[in-house]
């Protein structure tokens, strides 16, 4: 079984919250009541979008393990308008504190169509423009897209994973899920 889930902002990519006692952070269990499925990879609580869940360990490894080089596609709303030179640095790979990233695919895009409002909304600054980037990665360092956009001087305001391999968010509102063919 394979499930595509549109993870809302603020939801943990796990079924239980192992944080501090009394913590009331929302988890996958508030949305998905299917026994025996587990996330294939992670999406931090400050990010939204496609999370795949499966009951097949081999499929989970193929999706999540960077050695299989399955591309993950993200839409990043960033502060400012990156120049082409900054995007070219991004494409070649950047030096982060935990090492150099692999080359990444990046391009400026129009705001994604059909995009839902985020709750809570991002912070807007009247004096600072923003733009959307489409980013394709074949590795999975912790908070990598956010760290890469910051490294080129354009912090991420909103991050949405739009696709994993050939699987996409198409037709899923935040908090919705569907079973998909493998």
């Amino acid at each position: 079984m394979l499930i595509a889930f549109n993870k809302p902002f603020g939801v943990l990519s796990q079924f239980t919250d192992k944080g501090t006692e009394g913590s009331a952070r929302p988890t996958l269990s508030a949305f998905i009541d299917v026994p025996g499925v587990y996330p294939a990879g992670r999406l931090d609580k400050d990010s939204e979008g496609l999370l795949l869940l499966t009951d097949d360990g081999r499929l989970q490894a193929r999706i999540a393990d960077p050695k299989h080089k399955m591309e993950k596609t993200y839409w990043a709303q960033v502060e400012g308008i990156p120049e082409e030179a900054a995007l070219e640095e991004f494409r070649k790979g950047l030096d982060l504190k935990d090492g150099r990233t692999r080359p990444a695919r990046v391009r400026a895009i129009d705001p994604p169509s059909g995009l839902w409002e985020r709750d809570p909304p991002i912070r807007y600054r009247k004096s600072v423009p923003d733009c959307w980037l489409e980013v394709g990665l074949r590795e999975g360092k912790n908070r990598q897209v956010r760290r890469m956009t910051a490294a080129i001087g354009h912090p991420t305001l909103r991050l949405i994973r739009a696709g994993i391999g050939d699987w996409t968010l198409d037709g899923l509102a935040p908090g919705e899920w569907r079973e998909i063919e493998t």
Side-chain angles (χ1 to χ4, degrees):
M1 171 183 286
L2 183 63
I3 291 174
F5 174 57
N6 186 347
K7 187 190 89 58
F9 178 85
V11 174
L12 300 179
S13 294
Q14 56 201 41
F15 283 96
T16 58
D17 183 2
K18 296 178 180 133
T20 58
E21 192 169 326
S23 170
R25 298 181 299 183
T27 65
L28 299 177
S29 62
F31 301 92
I32 301 169
D33 186 18
V34 178
V37 296
Y38 299 93
R42 301 188 62 79
L43 194 56
D44 69 56
K45 74 177 186 64
D46 297 330
S47 299
E48 309 162 70
L50 184 61
L51 184 65
L52 297 176
L53 299 97
T54 182
D55 61 355
D56 180 334
R58 283 189 194 152
L59 179 58
Q60 184 180 25
R62 187 169 58 95
I63 294 167
D65 194 328
K67 75 179 179 184
H68 297 291
K69 296 183 175 64
M70 184 173 287
E71 185 174 83
K72 278 98 176 156
T73 302
Y74 297 86
W75 297 326
Q77 185 178 18
V78 298
E79 196 172 86
I81 311 294
E83 293 184 10
E84 187 57 34
L87 295 180
E88 192 55 36
E89 284 182 53
F90 200 103
R91 290 180 190 111
K92 291 177 181 175
L94 297 166
D95 290 318
L96 303 177
K97 287 182 182 178
D98 58 348
R100 187 156 185 87
T101 66
R102 290 182 182 163
R105 184 176 55 79
V106 64
R107 66 185 180 107
I109 60 171
D110 290 331
S113 64
L115 195 60
W116 56 91
E117 293 294 320
R118 195 185 87 174
D119 182 25
I122 67 161
R123 63 174 169 76
Y124 282 102
R125 296 191 334 197
K126 290 181 181 179
S127 62
V128 179
D130 62 66
C131 78
W132 285 90
L133 300 176
E134 182 180 81
V135 176
L137 299 180
R138 294 185 182 272
E139 64 183 332
K141 295 178 184 285
N142 187 35
R143 298 178 70 85
Q144 183 173 345
V145 174
R146 292 177 188 282
R147 294 187 302 140
M148 288 179 78
T149 63
I152 63 166
H154 297 279
T156 297
L157 301 171
R158 185 174 182 190
L159 185 61
I160 300 167
R161 183 159 54 201
I164 300 172
D166 292 332
W167 298 296
T168 68
L169 271 180
D170 292 346
L172 284 177
E176 289 184 348
W177 63 272
R178 68 172 171 260
E179 190 171 344
I180 54 177
E181 297 291 320
T182 55

